[in-house]
Amino acid sequence: QKQFNVPYVWLNLIKQATLSHLIDTLEKTPHLRDRVLFTRRRVMIDVIKSGNKKVLLNHNLAACTENIP
């Protein structure tokens, strides 16, 4: 957030992922609570289109409402 001077940054993870239990505690960590969001697999796939690259969105955000805290 500071590095790129952007107002909002968060990490969005698939809740049903095989190893998601290893990072469940992030939701409960006070300084990360507002920065980590767990999303349903289908909702995430609809946004990233099954790709393995980072996705940067700045328009047409209506399709991503469940991915935005």
Side-chain angles (χ1 to χ4, degrees):
Q1 184 174 3
K2 291 177 185 176
Q3 179 72 28
F4 295 104
N5 196 27
V6 293
Y8 304 104
V9 175
W10 66 90
L11 180 63
N12 196 319
L13 305 166
I14 296 174
K15 182 65 174 175
Q16 300 89 357
T18 307
L19 300 176
S20 66
H21 68 280
L22 297 174
I23 51 176
D24 279 342
T25 57
L26 291 178
E27 283 183 305
K28 298 169 184 78
T29 305
H31 61 282
L32 293 177
R33 184 178 308 135
D34 297 332
R35 306 272 183 188
V36 177
L37 178 68
F38 287 94
T39 303
R40 293 179 295 140
R41 180 180 300 279
R42 174 75 337 221
V43 174
M44 182 68 79
I45 297 300
D46 287 346
V47 172
I48 64 173
K49 309 296 184 219
S50 298
N52 61 358
K53 295 182 179 180
K54 296 174 199 149
V55 176
L56 176 62
L57 301 171
N58 199 23
H59 62 285
N60 298 328
L61 299 178
C64 305
T65 55
E66 200 170 325
N67 294 326
I68 300 172

